Amino acid sequence: MRLIVPACLIAVAALAGTAGFAAELNPLSARAKAAGGAPVESFIVKLHSPAAIRGSAKLQTPRERIAAVARRTGLALAAQRPITSLMHVVQLAPAAGEAAAVLARLRADPEVEYAEPDLRRHVHALQPNDQLYMQQWYLQVAATTPSAIDAQDAWSTTTGSAGLVIADIDTGVRADHPDLAARLLPGYCFISESFVANGGACPGPGAIDPGDWVTSADVSSSPNGICNTATAEPSSWHGTRVAGILGAITNNSAGVAGVTWSSQILPVRALGKCGGLDSDIISGMLWAAGIPVAGVPNNPNPAQIINMSLGGTGSCLLSYQDAISQVTAKGVLVVASAGNLGGPVDVPANCPGAAGIAGLRQAGTKVGYSNLGPEIALAAPAGNCGNAFTTSQSACVYSLTTTTNLGAMGPDANDYTGQYYCDATSGSFPNCAISAGQYRSYNIGTSFSAPIVSGIAALMSAVNGKLNSCELIARLKEGAQPFPQTSLDATTTQPPMCHVPAGASDVQGSECICTQDDQTCGAGMANAPGALTAALRPIAAVALPASVSAGATVTLDGSASAAANGHVISSYQWSTVSGGLTLALQGAGASKASVTAPACGIGTVALTVTDDAGRADTAQVVVGPTSAATSAPAVAGQGSCSVTPAAVEVAVCPGTDSVQAGGGSQSFTATLANTTNSAVTWQVNGVTGGNGTVGTISTSGVYTPPAGVPSPATVTVSAVSVADAASSGSAQVTVIARPSGGGGGATDWLSVLAGGALAFAAARRRQGQRV
């Protein structure tokens, strides 16, 4: 399959023819040093209440009392102003002396409850000084743009880590762009077709984008019809645009700001003229993650995050699933754009393990062109031009400003995207002050939602380097903001609610309101501060024994849990979870605890770890007679995503009573999701409810044998999860024919013999399509 990529909407005119984490950048260091040596002339002084003092001071006004304090302490009072009747700002003459000495004199006065220096503070969320930052509405926060991610507040926690690598699989980059050059690592080109490479040295080292323009001649006569579904258009410089959102050089008094200020960007060129092959894209994914690719030197700078602003229609292919499984097994996060057709989610965003990202309008509603569906993890700004955008001279107000190049075909001047559509051949529109042959275009598309989320994930990894891909996705969702249920853009009628596409032809091409059920636009709107708050929580890890047997001691080891960077685990607390069996715990307050495996049934135990900042994380362990299971990692920061959620464990317990043919019965109990007789379907020999030949079983688990059997027979009673038919537990029932013992003839008897005290299935749910 050839993917028609990249996944963006860029308005252009048609052509005629590491390892470890480095110290974080402190954006306040220079300002803090400048303010640190300034003399203190103002103090905050609070007086005791009149009831607590004696003498004439009771009759004085607060202003008179402050003046009396100054006289007694020998301080020259220059000015004063009240905050409350008792709390005052006192400004002293410059010759008052050192702040420490002044404070000592004030604090010694009997009428003063306390005195403190009136120091100057600065905003934590330092606004970067990049010239175009104010155009980057999607990084800020305002009532009119609820979908914006509020990166500015997140930067007060971290601006990223220089030791973290984000790979961008795309068209390559303009490495000479002044707002990108210092952030780029040497990349690689995987394009296997010379026409698609368009003059680039591919395959081979380097990922410089020579341009991907398409002419009318290309459309009509490209080799093997490569471009027959394309349209003539100038070069997109797509990879350069995506890289600018990921991590343009920030706070350099020029251009734009990146979501992350410090992470390195690894360009991987897999797309060119008229798109790119799956094989080239998959090769780029594996190489970016540090997985060897045949005939290619190993990547010396493996990525922790892979951004893929590309895609094509259809279900996830096995080759993509294979690659993503290999990549995520190394803990690498794959972020992919949903696509721009308004229908089902594109490949590879719909593959299990990838974080598919949908696109939002500034108002927090789904932008019409964005694909949607249950494969989406969350949504982020994609840019939209508003209902008033009707002509090429109208401003696209909510364009996502980023880095680009002005060349219509080959590279020209490096620049930034704007808000207008410009004629690439004449430059005739008054709002486009560029020369003929160049263009500057507005910038929208889910292609740019994905790098916004990749950038947030990079900030998260900078504060907690042990989060694997599943944990990053889970905590991105945890920190997301709920979708607004009305549109700020609606003037009369509100847009409809979004729905899961019924198929490729079910297109929702206009604004719709994202549902809150995680089925259309994901878990919510990406939010940088919320994601960092979630990322800073510790990671609860539980190591389990290799084998479990009924009645034996099961050791639960949480000692490999870990806190975020710079923090430590301060406490461990084990507890039983309601429902199912209540297991007796030993060592509830230690890093290791133990329980006794039950003879029948399932019990659940929770581990809560708390760090030195009071942040917590909880993991659960299900323990049965022959197995224990958890979705937590055994060691924080190691291993792939678990695909064994404890919630689908099933155990079936048989009784030991004998049952007479035609008259007796036997009750069985099943434990599912830690609840007895819940959400299961009972079967006999695989037949739901059984039948007259093998016996019947009720919905509550009561088995009734047949009236008689011609010879000894064995039937199997099973409880199957309704939620997941692959999850089941079973117990065998042996049917034995016995003589009656009197009066001639024979009577068949049934004895119910357990094939073991319990058959316990530590069932594994098939891995979900969204992680």
Side-chain angles (χ1 to χ4, degrees):
M1 177 181 77
R2 175 176 298 280
L3 294 179
I4 305 303
V5 289
C8 63
L9 297 177
I10 306 171
V12 293
L15 291 177
T18 128
F21 297 91
E24 295 176 3
L25 168 66
N26 181 355
L28 295 178
S29 57
R31 180 174 292 186
K33 289 177 182 177
V40 178
E41 297 180 359
S42 294
F43 299 85
I44 299 174
V45 177
K46 185 177 181 182
L47 301 171
H48 285 295
S49 66
I53 60 174
R54 300 179 179 179
S56 61
K58 286 181 176 286
L59 305 177
Q60 293 176 323
T61 65
R63 182 175 292 275
E64 291 172 336
R65 292 179 64 192
I66 287 291
V69 168
R71 288 194 298 272
R72 286 193 298 270
T73 54
L75 298 173
L77 184 63
Q80 69 178 102
R81 60 180 173 85
I83 298 175
T84 67
S85 61
L86 297 177
M87 187 185 300
H88 292 251
V89 177
V90 175
Q91 186 174 353
L92 303 176
E98 293 294 330
V102 171
L103 285 170
R105 292 155 70 180
L106 287 171
R107 290 166 178 168
D109 191 276
E111 288 198 42
V112 174
E113 181 176 330
Y114 62 76
E116 296 175 338
D118 190 9
L119 299 178
R120 190 172 305 279
R121 310 295 179 179
H122 301 283
V123 293
H124 278 170
L126 182 65
Q127 179 176 304
N129 59 21
D130 302 81
Q131 292 175 344
L132 300 178
Y133 175 69
M134 295 312 297
Q135 294 183 19
Q136 294 180 274
W137 61 270
Y138 56 93
L139 298 181
Q140 301 167 45
V141 59
T144 56
T145 56
S147 70
I149 66 168
D150 192 12
Q152 188 167 314
D153 278 322
W155 292 331
S156 67
T157 300
T158 183
T159 55
S161 168
L164 188 140
V165 176
I166 309 174
D168 180 29
I169 301 179
D170 215 297
T171 63
V173 296
R174 291 308 307 167
D176 56 351
H177 198 295
D179 227 2
L180 293 175
R183 300 290 299 280
L184 299 174
L185 291 167
Y188 202 88
C189 181
F190 286 89
I191 297 175
S192 57
E193 301 166 299
S194 59
F195 175 83
V196 175
N198 202 22
C202 303
I208 304 301
D209 187 356
D212 59 355
W213 71 91
V214 179
T215 65
S216 298
D218 291 332
V219 174
S220 61
S221 59
S222 58
N224 301 316
I226 287 174
C227 296
N228 61 5
T229 59
T231 56
E233 58 185 10
S235 292
S236 67
W237 311 112
H238 189 269
T240 299
R241 294 174 184 239
V242 169
I245 289 177
L246 281 171
I249 301 170
T250 306
N251 223 32
N252 62 342
S253 301
V256 295
V259 178
T260 171
W261 297 16
S262 305
S263 300
Q264 296 174 292
I265 299 173
L266 178 67
V268 179
R269 190 170 180 234
L271 310 178
K273 187 185 285 283
C274 298
L277 292 172
D278 287 337
S279 55
D280 296 341
I281 296 166
I282 290 168
S283 296
M285 290 173 60
L286 296 173
W287 181 84
I291 299 171
V293 175
V296 178
N298 289 343
N299 177 13
N301 301 295
Q304 288 79 43
I305 298 167
I306 297 177
N307 187 86
M308 301 178 69
S309 294
L310 53 84
T313 58
S315 59
C316 179
L317 301 178
L318 291 176
S319 53
Y320 272 105
Q321 185 57 71
D322 185 7
I324 290 174
S325 296
Q326 292 186 59
V327 167
T328 56
K330 293 175 67 69
V332 177
L333 173 65
V334 176
V335 180
S337 50
N340 301 320
L341 296 176
V345 179
D346 275 358
V347 182
N350 60 9
C351 292
I357 309 301
L360 298 175
R361 297 169 61 87
Q362 93 289 348
T365 49
K366 187 192 82 73
V367 67
Y369 56 76
S370 175
N371 291 349
L372 73 166
E375 302 87 355
I376 296 298
L378 68 165
N384 60 284
C385 297
N387 297 330
F389 189 77
T390 55
T391 71
S392 55
Q393 297 183 36
S394 302
C396 181
V397 179
Y398 296 107
S399 173
L400 305 184
T401 306
T402 184
T403 49
T404 192
N405 188 278
L406 294 182
M409 298 178 73
D412 204 303
N414 290 304
D415 206 338
Y416 303 88
T417 57
Q419 295 179 324
Y420 296 92
Y421 173 86
C422 301
D423 189 318
T425 59
S426 68
S428 60
F429 298 135
N431 290 312
C432 304
I434 57 177
S435 60
Q438 296 178 331
Y439 78 101
R440 181 197 304 264
S441 66
Y442 60 85
N443 190 69
I444 63 175
T446 61
S447 275
F448 310 110
S449 307
I452 289 173
V453 174
S454 292
I456 295 174
L459 296 177
M460 296 168 70
S461 294
V463 299
N464 194 342
K466 294 185 180 297
L467 295 171
N468 66 20
S469 60
C470 293
E471 290 158 346
L472 282 169
I473 294 174
R475 298 191 187 201
L476 278 164
K477 292 180 177 182
E478 179 185 327
Q481 295 293 305
F483 296 112
Q485 296 301 284
T486 58
S487 173
L488 294 175
D489 290 342
T491 55
T492 53
T493 305
Q494 287 289 329
M497 299 298 296
C498 303
H499 64 268
V500 176
S505 61
D506 185 6
V507 174
Q508 297 166 70
S510 299
E511 177 186 18
C512 63
I513 296 173
C514 294
T515 59
Q516 305 283 29
D517 59 3
D518 200 21
Q519 292 297 298
T520 54
C521 310
M525 302 185 294
N527 179 264
L532 283 182
T533 297
L536 282 165
R537 292 194 300 103
I539 303 169
V542 182
L544 300 173
S547 62
V548 173
S549 58
T553 298
V554 181
T555 299
L556 313 175
D557 186 353
S559 60
S561 302
N565 301 355
H567 295 274
V568 295
I569 300 296
S570 60
S571 69
Y572 301 82
Q573 186 61 53
W574 300 85
S575 60
T576 56
V577 177
S578 61
L581 300 177
T582 300
L583 302 177
L585 268 170
Q586 299 294 324
S591 62
K592 295 181 181 180
S594 63
V595 296
T596 300
C600 184
I602 292 175
T604 300
V605 176
L607 167 64
T608 298
V609 295
T610 306
D611 68 9
D612 53 358
R615 296 179 288 246
D617 188 38
T618 298
Q620 291 191 349
V621 182
V622 166
V623 180
T626 60
S627 181
T630 179
S631 57
V635 178
Q638 296 183 18
S640 60
C641 302
S642 171
V643 293
T644 315
V648 296
E649 300 292 342
V650 179
V652 178
C653 299
T656 57
D657 295 337
S658 295
V659 182
Q660 183 178 358
S665 63
Q666 175 65 51
S667 294
F668 291 87
T669 60
T671 305
L672 171 69
N674 215 42
T675 305
T676 302
N677 282 335
S678 171
V680 296
T681 296
W682 289 100
Q683 298 180 346
V684 182
N685 277 12
V687 178
T688 298
N691 55 38
T693 301
V694 296
T696 59
I697 193 164
S698 70
T699 56
S700 61
V702 178
Y703 172 71
T704 302
V709 290
S711 61
T714 299
V715 299
T716 300
V717 174
S718 303
V720 181
S721 164
V722 171
D724 186 345
S727 306
S728 64
S730 64
Q732 285 191 337
V733 178
T734 303
V735 180
I736 303 175
R738 295 180 176 176
S740 64
T747 302
D748 293 330
W749 292 80
L750 298 179
S751 246
V752 180
L753 304 176
L758 170 73
F760 173 70
R764 295 180 178 270
R765 167 181 283 172
R766 292 165 286 128
Q767 185 177 11
Q769 297 301 300
R770 275 179 296 103
V771 184

